[in-house]
């Protein structure tokens, strides 16, 4: 797991602009902006930081930063390979991506960003031009439909990213999970370091989580770190 520089960087600022203009994916855009700001707009920095944590025996922080790097560069094979290696070394079962996650990773977010912007401009210009050029209304209508289809691809990517907003990684050696948010209660099970969970709710220093296996309970907030950094 040597340090290196990822050769391409996705312009998430453009992706955020497109989603914000669409409106229905504004929360996903905000999440991307938060993650990007915390990372210094740099997937390579997150990747190298994760490598450093992996070498020093901190799998939780390694997985956290690999996940954040993958959020910015979902198609990078080195990130996926190192993430899988660290999880296996920590004794965690392999994780299979959902259908939406596979769709989001199939196309570069850089391409999707410009596709969304181009689709928005195409649809907008075509609608406006129909008034000035009524003879070409059928062609302009077709162009508008193409633009809307391109926007749909960008919206789909935003929908695929929505679950990531609520994911967190266990960064301590173990995270006891209790039935209620009370520290004196006996835990019903314990999450190992580097586990990935879904955050459902928060209360008084505790987080209601759901595991990949569907188990739920309350874990201490200090044991978890969200994949998308909070303010």
């Amino acid at each position: 797991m040597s340090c290196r520089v990822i050769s391409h960087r996705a312009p998430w600022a453009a992706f955020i602009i497109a989603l914000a203009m669409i409106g229905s994916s504004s929360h996903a855009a905000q999440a991307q902006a938060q993650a990007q700001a915390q990372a210094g707009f740099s997937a390579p920095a997150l990747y190298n930081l994760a490598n450093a944590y992996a070498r020093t025996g901190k799998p939780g922080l390694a997985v956290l930063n690999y996940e954040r790097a993958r959020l910015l560069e979902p198609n990078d094979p080195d990130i996926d390979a190192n993430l899988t290696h660290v999880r296996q070394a920590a004794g965690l079962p392999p994780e299979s991506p959902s259908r939406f996650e596979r769709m989001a990773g199939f196309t570069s977010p850089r391409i999707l960003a410009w596709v969304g912007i181009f689709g928005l401009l195409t649809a907008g210009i075509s609608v406006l031009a129909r008034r000035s050029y009524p003879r070409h209304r059928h062609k302009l209508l077709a162009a508008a439909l193409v633009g809307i289809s391109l926007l749909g691809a960008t919206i789909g990517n935003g929908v695929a990213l929505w679950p990531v907003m609520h994911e967190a990684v266990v960064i301590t050696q173990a995270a006891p999970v209790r039935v209620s948010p009370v520290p004196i209660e006996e835990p019903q099970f314990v999450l190992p370091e580097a586990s990935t969970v879904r955050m459902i709710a928060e209360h008084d220093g505790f987080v209601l989580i759901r595991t990949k296996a569907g188990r739920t309970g309350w874990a201490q907030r200090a044991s978890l770190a969200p994949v998308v950094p909070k303010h």
Side-chain angles (χ1 to χ4, degrees), residues 9-21 29 32-33 36-37 41 72 109-110 113-114 117:
R9 299 183 184 181
W12 286 98
F15 178 61
I16 292 167
I17 292 172
L19 289 181
M21 294 171 72
Q32 297 297 333
Q36 196 171 355
F41 298 88
L72 300 175
R110 174 172 50 188
W114 291 113
I117 293 174

Side-chain angles (χ1 to χ4, degrees), residues 74 85 87 96 131 134 140 150 153-154 181 186 203 212:
H85 173 75
R87 281 182 170 146
S96 58
R131 298 181 179 179
L140 293 172
L150 296 177
T154 305
E186 287 294 324
H203 175 74
K212 299 292 184 180

Side-chain angles (χ1 to χ4, degrees), residues 33-96:
Q34 291 173 1
Q36 196 171 355
Q38 292 289 333
F41 298 88
S42 174
L46 287 168
Y47 174 84
N48 292 333
L49 181 61
N51 286 345
Y53 280 127
R55 287 194 296 267
T56 55
K58 297 179 179 179
L61 291 172
V63 168
L64 174 66
N65 285 280
Y66 283 134
E67 290 285 9
R68 290 177 174 177
R70 190 168 66 167
L71 185 63
L72 300 175
E73 291 287 353
N75 296 317
D76 191 278
D78 291 341
I79 296 175
D80 287 337
N82 285 9
L83 181 58
T84 300
H85 173 75
V86 171
R87 281 182 170 146
Q88 289 177 346
L92 299 175
E95 295 186 357
S96 58

